[in-house]
Amino acid sequence: MKTVVVRNIKRTDADLVKRLGALGVATVHEAYGRFGLMKPYLRPVWAGAEAVGTAVTVLVHPGDNWMIHVAVEQCQPGDILVVGCTADNTDGMFGDLLATSLMARGVKALVIDAGVRDAKSLREMRFPVWSKAISAKGTVKATLGAVNVPVVCAGINVIPGDAVVADDDGVVAVRRKDAAEVVAKGEKRQADEEGKRKQLAEGVLGLDMYNMREQLKKAGLVYLDAADDD
Amino acid sequence: MKTVVVRNIKRTDADLVKRLGALGVATVHEAYGRFGLMKPYLRPVWAGAEAVGTAVTVLVHPGDNWMIHVAVEQCQPGDILVVGCTADNTDGMFGDLLATSLMARGVKALVIDAGVRDAKSLREMRFPVWSKAISAKGTVKATLGAVNVPVVCAGINVIPGDAVVADDDGVVAVRRKDAAEVVAKGEKRQADEEGKRKQLAEGVLGLDMYNMREQLKKAGLVYLDAADDD
Amino acid sequence: MKTVVVRNIKRTDADLVKRLGALGVATVHEAYGRFGLMKPYLRPVWAGAEAVGTAVTVLVHPGDNWMIHVAVEQCQPGDILVVGCTADNTDGMFGDLLATSLMARGVKALVIDAGVRDAKSLREMRFPVWSKAISAKGTVKATLGAVNVPVVCAGINVIPGDAVVADDDGVVAVRRKDAAEVVAKGEKRQADEEGKRKQLAEGVLGLDMYNMREQLKKAGLVYLDAADDD
Amino acid sequence: MKTVVVRNIKRTDADLVKRLGALGVATVHEAYGRFGLMKPYLRPVWAGAEAVGTAVTVLVHPGDNWMIHVAVEQCQPGDILVVGCTADNTDGMFGDLLATSLMARGVKALVIDAGVRDAKSLREMRFPVWSKAISAKGTVKATLGAVNVPVVCAGINVIPGDAVVADDDGVVAVRRKDAAEVVAKGEKRQADEEGKRKQLAEGVLGLDMYNMREQLKKAGLVYLDAADDD
Amino acid sequence: MKTVVVRNIKRTDADLVKRLGALGVATVHEAYGRFGLMKPYLRPVWAGAEAVGTAVTVLVHPGDNWMIHVAVEQCQPGDILVVGCTADNTDGMFGDLLATSLMARGVKALVIDAGVRDAKSLREMRFPVWSKAISAKGTVKATLGAVNVPVVCAGINVIPGDAVVADDDGVVAVRRKDAAEVVAKGEKRQADEEGKRKQLAEGVLGLDMYNMREQLKKAGLVYLDAADDD
Amino acid sequence: MKTVVVRNIKRTDADLVKRLGALGVATVHEAYGRFGLMKPYLRPVWAGAEAVGTAVTVLVHPGDNWMIHVAVEQCQPGDILVVGCTADNTDGMFGDLLATSLMARGVKALVIDAGVRDAKSLREMRFPVWSKAISAKGTVKATLGAVNVPVVCAGINVIPGDAVVADDDGVVAVRRKDAAEVVAKGEKRQADEEGKRKQLAEGVLGLDMYNMREQLKKAGLVYLDAADDD
């Protein structure tokens, strides 16, 4: 690992970022060919949190949050801080002081493959956080990591400047160069779903709406009646 | 596994189902001789969800929700869809479109040994779901499973037509033929508990109310005073 | 294990306990030299629960809550019941009847390295509980454990009479003889943090406020600009 | 749960059992339509263990092995003892004394969704065991369970008399009435695989042997050459 | 946590330690009233490892093995190094260099609630290690912990000088002052088991040998014959 | 995700690969600045397996091994197949037929963030495999993934052509362009360790050899003698 801080990264276009946020995580993930979704152990610290922004990435070591302090300086309004860790760790690497600092810089959220603390304050401040754990466990500032290099966070390799969308369904990252295509596909999907929802609400079966009966029959599905074993 | 759909299953009597629901999961589980309780990793997707109904069962493969679409057609008002999976999987096999379809058919809830998505919409629709995970991860429709065969869900073998009760304490399944006996025992237990609660609230000790002192002494329990080590 | 009940334990001074509670878990843990924090899998059963008190300890076996009934008698107003288990277990060892009994005695909370049930009632009664799981699974009353001996709960050895603080960030235990020192350090830390929070809110960087730049440079941190690879 | 012991169960035909054993777990599981496989957390206690037999089932509670003692009497030569537990538990419910007793009765193996102890002795005695954990943790004999009722073990519902096959790849259960069909399909599959293995060893690609190229193309697979970015 | 090193600890008597080792983990744990057993996720790094000794304890932070280096100096021939960590961590805190150093001092084994590396060398050196994980992940030397204070390791509070026994069944710790009693009870148990093993090998049932039939009947156990449902 | 197969990837230089293999995982990981190490849940299927090679990468979906068949064709002698999965999955995606095919092409090993089966045959064939699980669970061939795109495997982003080293301590990946530098640093480290090992074997303390005493004192470490509390 190079212990570097990369400045002046390229960020995903702000309009595309905004439109990705309007689609939500599930639709973005589908529109991206079912790619980019972080593991589901990342959960919002407070219910109802939603965020979208551009990734500033941080790589830390277990029990050490030094590089998060370094990363704050690299953040701009509209960013989301994305923290990966070189080994599984649940320590509380982030709390209300760092959240105060990030909010002062216009940062939209934190996504961290480790723990956070001051959960109550984070909720009261309405600062959105997705983390692996909530833990009061304090950390040291002793070992260098890196800022704005590609970082694996909860199973996904995040490139600095990627668009990141997060809500109740999890967290998804989209490459800067793929964002326009994902927005286009996602908005089309969203429009299509509206019509489907209406049909289903009226009692149309998915089996018919999606024309599944023929395929099911071909695959060998058999219908039987329950035995009269009473 | 037979890749079949069984139609016209026998369901637990509606009045018994309703009374099981009034008892709640913990009481039903106790009245059933401490049996039928699914593993506690199944949790409600939104706080406060409560449901009771008759099981329509589905067996799916990891990453594939095809059979859930097939199962919808077999559901009647008052049913609960119970989904087991042939291997551990957290993919989001169920979302707001399927929930819309189930609600249109009068289905009461979903219990799934896998993941779901559209968590926010499920909460807003007030459609109760107990799942192993929340994940936006999409699934394919490629491999047959089965509908309305016995299915193991979170450690419990569920027979189609079983009564299923779910609340904040988890999910319990009761065999159709055992439901009357469980209702009777559960209602008696519930009545007994009211009296106990009153005594305990007045300061009576469980040690006395349950007559435990003699048994504890017989088992060898010894009372000591703390050493004066200050 | 000695199957004993120790009576008349010494408890941490009530004023110190109160002041520890005012500090909260994260600050107490830091003031205690980053010690005493239970593992983060212990979570509050209902959001917003906060408690502080003196430990009455219980050691139970998996699937058996007999000793919790025994422990109730040893509790005084201001206590927190702390339950450890000799093996990993998620059974629902505690529910609304035991909570009623503890509330009648002025007990402040339960911390249990196992499961609890009647989650809805516990929330409605506003009885604070931190547990490893929520499970309706019932337990037997068959095997002796111990009350008021040192007990490991979620990774921390708790001595009867220890101060215990619990909130959204987890649970921390402080030895009776260390409480005064931890209170002093914690109150100082809390005062310091207020000033820091104000600076950070105004946009001062932690890098500057904590004078980290020199150390980072010495440790070898290098700043680069992103390559122009577009 | 009925606290019963069922005697004189019907067992899968001995010749079929033997032939299932010759096929091994992976082939039996495939021949059974990819069904019947227990979760992979069940592992052999000693490397190289292999067993096949007919299931005598036991349902126990966490921390209590009483019913295993009861079950021994119901075992015949050629049986495999299959133990399920009403909640997750790793206690050492079985050791060299019980193994001695089972061997004296001609029992072939133990499959247990909990822990075992005396691992070294079990290996030296060559008594095959598949378990969830190895743990010296002792258990009590206090609560009734059941013997020879259907029991869920590691995710699979086992009926008394089912054929059980276990090896390095895990444990699979086959219904008595399905055994003949599974044997037939498995033996055919095994014969087919021999020819495939020979072709693959000679360098034939699976892509060609299984005629996958057309389907892959139809599904949209695209071949590219790596960019010359050096 | 006090960041101290305690020298000249009192150790369990060498003869008692030796006799505990001869009993093995399962017998010691039973003779100790089913107490003192570490969680079963601690496993030997190489098959067949067995060790007994007196505990020198270390408390470390995640990702930091500095205090292990400090602890080496406090070790004497016959000791076992017992390492607890303030948060869950799998980093490889110990490898062949530290093992070489410990062997040079006559240390018998390492028990660590974290990871180790150089697994192949440890096996070749025949240095016994029980750990939570094997991981090549390197650690830093930046933060103080403590040596020879009470340390929770895998769920058990270990006091410096405690006897520690480890084998294929796990790791158990016995207080210095309890060792004589545990040895006496364990040796008696071992002698008793020999007779039982002989009877069981001859086909006597545990049901009869332990006189369980009466208790089972009293508890309500019912024997039935299987239904003739073929 | 682009469903593509990339051909003619650039591979790390064969001499460097060989020298990385001679260093072993722990040394390579250290020489790489403690980077590139996959999560420790990846374990060798058979004890003693060691391998080094260049990565051909595969991205699959849970329960589907179609792309592994596609990837075989892209393998050359000296490659290691590295398989990542879009969600956690333990299904047995790889067995002795695929191993036969890979061996016929000169492939050195498989590293897979999922399950494998035919464990006994893999051991007998001496084909090295590092996996997350052993499971007989079969998979389908229904959904496209990708071959030779960057793939996250057990927490590490692997680029096609990366050098991969695997042994008892885990699996590490090194970028093609970083390989020469890592080899140089690793060989120097290895030479240094030999001298250290010799000193430690002679009884020199790490405290002295690494000159730690001054830093420990500066950090505040205090030495005490044990209290005479007997």
Side-chain angles (χ1 to χ4, degrees):
Chain A
M1 184 178 50
K2 306 297 186 206
T3 53
V4 297
V5 179
V6 178
R7 292 175 298 203
N8 304 319
I9 57 168
K10 289 198 176 122
R11 289 166 167 86
T12 306
D13 173 80
D15 175 64
L16 293 175
V17 168
K18 193 178 162 188
R19 287 157 74 188
L20 287 169
L23 293 171
V25 172
T27 299
V28 167
H29 159 71
E30 287 285 348
Y32 202 14
R34 289 185 187 147
F35 191 65
L37 187 73
M38 296 185 189
K39 300 210 175 190
Y41 61 71
L42 284 194
R43 295 298 303 148
V45 166
W46 45 272
E50 293 181 356
V52 65
T54 42
V56 166
T57 63
V58 194
L59 186 59
V60 300
H61 292 282
D64 194 311
N65 76 345
W66 208 12
M67 294 313 281
I68 299 180
H69 289 273
V70 173
V72 173
E73 190 178 24
Q74 305 307 317
C75 291
Q76 296 181 0
D79 283 342
I80 288 183
L81 203 60
V82 176
V83 182
C85 188
T86 55
D88 286 353
N89 185 238
T90 59
D91 289 359
M93 295 195 173
F94 182 96
D96 63 358
L97 289 185
L98 276 163
T100 300
S101 191
L102 287 183
M103 289 181 87
R105 295 184 78 79
V107 173
K108 295 298 182 188
L110 171 77
V111 174
I112 183 167
D113 199 354
V116 298
R117 60 185 185 180
D118 302 328
K120 186 185 178 184
S121 300
L122 294 175
R123 191 170 55 240
E124 289 171 351
M125 297 163 75
R126 310 302 289 173
F127 184 75
V129 175
W130 284 257
S131 73
K132 183 178 174 174
I134 295 172
S135 169
K137 179 68 166 58
T139 50
V140 298
K141 292 159 190 46
T143 308
L144 293 186
V147 173
N148 279 334
V149 298
V151 166
V152 174
C153 179
I156 293 299
N157 191 45
V158 180
I159 309 288
D162 277 2
V164 173
V165 190
D167 60 25
D168 260 16
D169 286 347
V171 184
V172 67
V174 177
R175 291 276 173 279
R176 183 164 56 92
K177 294 180 185 176
D178 296 332
E181 185 185 340
V182 173
V183 164
K185 287 188 181 167
E187 290 177 349
K188 183 171 178 327
R189 184 183 170 91
Q190 202 173 41
D192 291 351
E193 285 209 341
E194 210 34 63
K196 288 178 188 164
R197 190 173 290 108
K198 193 153 166 279
Q199 286 187 62
L200 294 169
E202 285 163 359
V204 177
L205 285 170
L207 284 178
D208 297 314
M209 193 175 76
Y210 299 113
N211 289 315
M212 288 176 176
R213 294 192 193 271
E214 192 59 32
Q215 291 162 281
L216 287 163
K217 196 175 171 186
K218 208 168 134 191
L221 191 64
V222 174
Y223 285 80
L224 306 172
D225 282 305
D228 189 9
D229 66 344
D230 212 348
Chain B
M1 183 178 50
K2 305 296 187 209
T3 53
V4 298
V5 179
V6 179
R7 292 175 298 201
N8 303 319
I9 58 167
K10 287 192 176 128
R11 289 165 166 86
T12 305
D13 174 80
D15 175 64
L16 293 176
V17 168
K18 193 179 161 188
R19 287 158 74 190
L20 287 169
L23 293 172
V25 172
T27 299
V28 168
H29 160 72
E30 286 286 348
Y32 203 13
R34 289 186 188 147
F35 190 65
L37 186 74
M38 295 186 190
K39 299 210 177 191
Y41 62 72
L42 285 194
R43 295 299 302 149
V45 166
W46 45 272
E50 293 182 355
V52 65
T54 41
V56 166
T57 63
V58 193
L59 185 59
V60 300
H61 291 282
D64 194 311
N65 75 345
W66 208 10
M67 295 313 282
I68 299 180
H69 289 273
V70 173
V72 172
E73 190 179 25
Q74 305 308 317
C75 290
Q76 296 180 0
D79 282 343
I80 288 183
L81 202 60
V82 176
V83 183
C85 189
T86 56
D88 286 352
N89 185 240
T90 58
D91 288 359
M93 295 195 173
F94 182 97
D96 62 359
L97 288 185
L98 276 164
T100 299
S101 192
L102 288 183
M103 288 182 88
R105 294 185 79 79
V107 173
K108 297 296 183 189
L110 171 78
V111 174
I112 182 167
D113 198 354
V116 298
R117 60 185 185 179
D118 301 327
K120 187 185 177 183
S121 300
L122 295 175
R123 190 169 56 239
E124 289 170 353
M125 296 163 75
R126 309 302 290 172
F127 184 75
V129 175
W130 284 257
S131 73
K132 183 178 173 174
I134 295 171
S135 169
K137 180 68 168 57
T139 50
V140 296
K141 292 160 190 47
T143 308
L144 294 186
V147 173
N148 279 335
V149 299
V151 166
V152 173
C153 180
I156 293 298
N157 191 45
V158 180
I159 308 288
D162 277 3
V164 173
V165 190
D167 61 23
D168 261 17
D169 285 348
V171 184
V172 67
V174 177
R175 291 278 173 277
R176 181 165 58 92
K177 295 181 183 175
D178 297 332
E181 184 185 341
V182 173
V183 164
K185 287 188 181 166
E187 291 177 348
K188 185 174 178 322
R189 183 183 170 91
Q190 202 173 41
D192 291 350
E193 284 208 344
E194 208 36 61
K196 287 178 190 165
R197 189 173 292 107
K198 194 153 167 278
Q199 285 187 63
L200 294 169
E202 286 163 359
V204 177
L205 285 170
L207 285 178
D208 297 313
M209 193 175 76
Y210 299 112
N211 288 316
M212 287 176 177
R213 293 192 192 274
E214 192 58 35
Q215 290 162 280
L216 286 163
K217 195 174 171 184
K218 209 169 134 192
L221 190 63
V222 174
Y223 285 80
L224 307 171
D225 281 306
D228 189 9
D229 66 344
D230 212 349
Chain C
M1 181 179 51
K2 305 298 187 207
T3 53
V4 298
V5 179
V6 178
R7 292 175 298 204
N8 304 319
I9 57 167
K10 286 193 178 128
R11 288 164 167 87
T12 306
D13 174 80
D15 174 63
L16 294 175
V17 168
K18 192 178 162 190
R19 287 157 75 187
L20 286 169
L23 293 171
V25 171
T27 299
V28 167
H29 159 71
E30 286 286 348
Y32 202 14
R34 291 189 185 143
F35 191 66
L37 187 73
M38 295 186 190
K39 299 210 176 192
Y41 61 72
L42 285 193
R43 294 300 303 149
V45 166
W46 45 272
E50 293 182 356
V52 65
T54 42
V56 166
T57 63
V58 193
L59 186 59
V60 299
H61 291 282
D64 194 312
N65 75 346
W66 208 10
M67 295 313 283
I68 299 181
H69 289 274
V70 173
V72 173
E73 189 178 27
Q74 306 307 317
C75 289
Q76 296 181 0
D79 283 341
I80 288 183
L81 203 60
V82 176
V83 183
C85 189
T86 56
D88 285 352
N89 185 240
T90 59
D91 289 358
M93 296 196 172
F94 182 97
D96 63 359
L97 289 185
L98 276 164
T100 300
S101 193
L102 288 183
M103 288 182 88
R105 296 185 78 80
V107 172
K108 297 297 181 189
L110 172 77
V111 174
I112 183 167
D113 199 354
V116 297
R117 60 185 185 180
D118 302 327
K120 187 185 176 182
S121 300
L122 295 175
R123 191 170 55 241
E124 289 170 353
M125 297 163 75
R126 309 302 289 173
F127 184 75
V129 175
W130 284 257
S131 73
K132 182 178 173 173
I134 295 172
S135 169
K137 178 70 167 56
T139 49
V140 297
K141 292 161 189 46
T143 308
L144 294 185
V147 173
N148 279 334
V149 300
V151 166
V152 173
C153 179
I156 293 299
N157 191 46
V158 179
I159 307 290
D162 277 3
V164 173
V165 190
D167 61 24
D168 260 16
D169 286 348
V171 184
V172 66
V174 177
R175 292 277 173 278
R176 181 164 57 92
K177 294 181 185 175
D178 296 333
E181 184 184 341
V182 173
V183 165
K185 287 189 180 166
E187 291 177 347
K188 183 172 180 324
R189 183 181 169 93
Q190 202 173 41
D192 291 351
E193 283 207 344
E194 209 34 64
K196 288 179 188 165
R197 189 173 291 108
K198 194 153 164 280
Q199 286 186 63
L200 294 168
E202 285 164 358
V204 177
L205 286 169
L207 285 178
D208 297 313
M209 192 175 78
Y210 299 112
N211 288 314
M212 287 175 177
R213 292 191 193 273
E214 192 58 33
Q215 290 162 281
L216 286 163
K217 195 174 171 185
K218 209 167 134 190
L221 190 64
V222 173
Y223 284 79
L224 306 172
D225 281 305
D228 189 9
D229 67 345
D230 211 347
Chain D
M1 183 179 50
K2 305 297 187 208
T3 52
V4 298
V5 179
V6 178
R7 291 175 299 203
N8 304 318
I9 58 167
K10 286 193 179 128
R11 288 164 168 86
T12 305
D13 175 79
D15 175 64
L16 293 175
V17 168
K18 193 178 161 190
R19 287 158 74 188
L20 287 169
L23 292 171
V25 172
T27 299
V28 167
H29 159 71
E30 287 286 347
Y32 203 13
R34 292 189 185 143
F35 190 65
L37 186 74
M38 296 186 189
K39 300 211 176 191
Y41 62 72
L42 285 193
R43 294 299 302 150
V45 165
W46 45 272
E50 294 182 354
V52 65
T54 42
V56 166
T57 63
V58 193
L59 186 59
V60 300
H61 291 283
D64 194 311
N65 76 344
W66 208 10
M67 295 312 282
I68 300 181
H69 289 275
V70 173
V72 173
E73 190 178 25
Q74 305 307 317
C75 291
Q76 296 180 0
D79 283 342
I80 287 183
L81 203 61
V82 176
V83 182
C85 188
T86 56
D88 285 351
N89 184 240
T90 59
D91 289 359
M93 296 196 171
F94 182 96
D96 63 358
L97 289 184
L98 276 163
T100 299
S101 192
L102 288 183
M103 289 181 87
R105 295 185 79 78
V107 173
K108 295 298 182 189
L110 170 78
V111 174
I112 183 166
D113 199 354
V116 298
R117 60 184 184 181
D118 301 329
K120 186 186 177 183
S121 299
L122 295 175
R123 191 169 55 239
E124 289 170 353
M125 297 163 75
R126 309 304 288 174
F127 185 74
V129 175
W130 284 257
S131 73
K132 183 179 174 173
I134 295 172
S135 169
K137 179 69 167 57
T139 50
V140 297
K141 293 162 190 42
T143 308
L144 294 185
V147 174
N148 278 334
V149 300
V151 166
V152 173
C153 179
I156 293 299
N157 191 46
V158 180
I159 309 289
D162 277 2
V164 174
V165 190
D167 61 24
D168 261 16
D169 285 348
V171 185
V172 67
V174 177
R175 291 277 174 278
R176 182 165 57 93
K177 294 180 184 176
D178 296 332
E181 185 185 340
V182 174
V183 164
K185 286 189 181 166
E187 291 178 348
K188 183 172 178 326
R189 183 182 169 91
Q190 203 172 40
D192 290 352
E193 284 208 343
E194 209 35 62
K196 288 179 188 163
R197 189 173 290 108
K198 194 154 164 279
Q199 286 187 64
L200 294 169
E202 285 164 359
V204 177
L205 284 170
L207 285 177
D208 297 313
M209 193 175 77
Y210 299 113
N211 289 314
M212 288 175 175
R213 293 191 192 272
E214 193 58 33
Q215 290 162 281
L216 286 163
K217 196 175 169 184
K218 208 169 135 192
L221 190 64
V222 174
Y223 285 80
L224 306 173
D225 281 304
D228 189 9
D229 67 343
D230 212 348
Chain E
M1 182 179 50
K2 306 296 188 210
T3 52
V4 298
V5 179
V6 178
R7 291 175 298 202
N8 303 319
I9 58 168
K10 286 191 178 131
R11 289 165 166 88
T12 306
D13 174 79
D15 174 64
L16 294 174
V17 168
K18 193 178 161 188
R19 287 157 74 188
L20 287 169
L23 293 171
V25 171
T27 299
V28 167
H29 159 72
E30 286 287 346
Y32 203 13
R34 290 185 188 148
F35 191 65
L37 186 73
M38 295 185 190
K39 300 211 175 190
Y41 61 72
L42 284 194
R43 294 299 303 149
V45 167
W46 45 272
E50 293 182 356
V52 64
T54 42
V56 165
T57 64
V58 193
L59 186 59
V60 299
H61 292 282
D64 194 312
N65 75 346
W66 208 10
M67 295 313 282
I68 299 180
H69 289 274
V70 172
V72 173
E73 190 179 26
Q74 305 308 316
C75 291
Q76 296 181 359
D79 283 342
I80 287 183
L81 203 60
V82 176
V83 182
C85 187
T86 56
D88 285 352
N89 185 240
T90 58
D91 289 357
M93 296 195 172
F94 182 97
D96 63 358
L97 289 185
L98 276 163
T100 301
S101 192
L102 287 182
M103 288 181 89
R105 297 184 78 79
V107 173
K108 296 297 183 188
L110 171 77
V111 174
I112 182 166
D113 199 353
V116 298
R117 60 184 184 180
D118 301 328
K120 187 186 177 184
S121 300
L122 295 174
R123 190 169 56 240
E124 289 169 353
M125 297 163 73
R126 309 303 289 173
F127 185 75
V129 175
W130 284 257
S131 73
K132 182 179 175 173
I134 295 172
S135 169
K137 178 70 165 58
T139 50
V140 297
K141 291 160 190 46
T143 308
L144 293 185
V147 174
N148 279 334
V149 300
V151 166
V152 174
C153 179
I156 294 298
N157 191 46
V158 180
I159 308 289
D162 277 3
V164 174
V165 190
D167 61 24
D168 260 17
D169 286 348
V171 184
V172 66
V174 177
R175 292 276 173 280
R176 182 165 56 93
K177 294 181 184 175
D178 296 333
E181 184 184 340
V182 173
V183 164
K185 287 188 181 167
E187 291 177 347
K188 184 173 178 324
R189 183 182 171 91
Q190 203 174 41
D192 291 351
E193 284 208 342
E194 209 36 62
K196 288 178 189 165
R197 189 173 292 109
K198 196 153 165 279
Q199 285 187 63
L200 294 168
E202 287 163 358
V204 177
L205 286 169
L207 286 177
D208 297 313
M209 192 175 77
Y210 300 112
N211 289 315
M212 288 176 176
R213 293 191 192 273
E214 192 58 35
Q215 290 161 281
L216 287 163
K217 196 175 171 184
K218 208 168 136 191
L221 190 64
V222 174
Y223 285 79
L224 307 172
D225 281 305
D228 188 9
D229 67 344
D230 212 346
Chain F
M1 183 178 50
K2 305 298 186 207
T3 52
V4 298
V5 179
V6 178
R7 291 176 299 204
N8 303 318
I9 57 168
K10 287 194 179 128
R11 290 166 165 88
T12 306
D13 174 79
D15 174 63
L16 294 175
V17 168
K18 193 178 161 189
R19 287 158 74 186
L20 287 169
L23 293 171
V25 172
T27 299
V28 167
H29 160 71
E30 287 285 346
Y32 204 13
R34 290 185 186 147
F35 191 64
L37 187 74
M38 295 186 189
K39 299 210 177 192
Y41 62 71
L42 285 194
R43 296 298 303 149
V45 167
W46 45 272
E50 293 182 355
V52 66
T54 43
V56 166
T57 64
V58 193
L59 186 59
V60 300
H61 292 282
D64 194 311
N65 76 345
W66 208 10
M67 294 314 281
I68 300 181
H69 289 274
V70 173
V72 173
E73 190 178 25
Q74 305 307 317
C75 291
Q76 296 181 0
D79 283 342
I80 287 183
L81 203 61
V82 176
V83 182
C85 189
T86 56
D88 285 353
N89 184 240
T90 59
D91 289 359
M93 296 195 173
F94 182 97
D96 63 358
L97 289 185
L98 276 164
T100 300
S101 192
L102 288 183
M103 288 182 88
R105 295 185 78 79
V107 173
K108 297 298 183 189
L110 172 78
V111 173
I112 183 166
D113 199 354
V116 297
R117 60 185 184 179
D118 302 328
K120 187 186 176 183
S121 299
L122 295 175
R123 189 169 56 239
E124 289 170 353
M125 296 163 74
R126 310 303 288 174
F127 185 75
V129 175
W130 283 255
S131 74
K132 182 179 174 173
I134 294 172
S135 168
K137 179 69 166 56
T139 50
V140 297
K141 291 160 191 43
T143 308
L144 293 186
V147 173
N148 279 335
V149 300
V151 165
V152 174
C153 179
I156 293 299
N157 191 46
V158 179
I159 308 288
D162 278 3
V164 173
V165 190
D167 59 25
D168 260 18
D169 286 348
V171 185
V172 67
V174 177
R175 292 277 173 278
R176 182 166 57 94
K177 294 182 185 175
D178 296 332
E181 184 184 340
V182 173
V183 164
K185 287 190 181 165
E187 291 178 347
K188 184 174 177 323
R189 184 182 169 93
Q190 203 173 40
D192 291 352
E193 284 208 342
E194 210 36 62
K196 288 179 188 164
R197 189 173 291 109
K198 195 154 166 278
Q199 286 187 62
L200 293 169
E202 286 164 358
V204 176
L205 285 169
L207 286 178
D208 297 313
M209 192 175 77
Y210 299 112
N211 289 315
M212 289 176 175
R213 293 191 192 273
E214 191 59 32
Q215 290 161 281
L216 287 163
K217 196 175 171 185
K218 209 168 136 191
L221 190 64
V222 174
Y223 285 78
L224 306 172
D225 281 306
D228 189 9
D229 67 344
D230 210 348

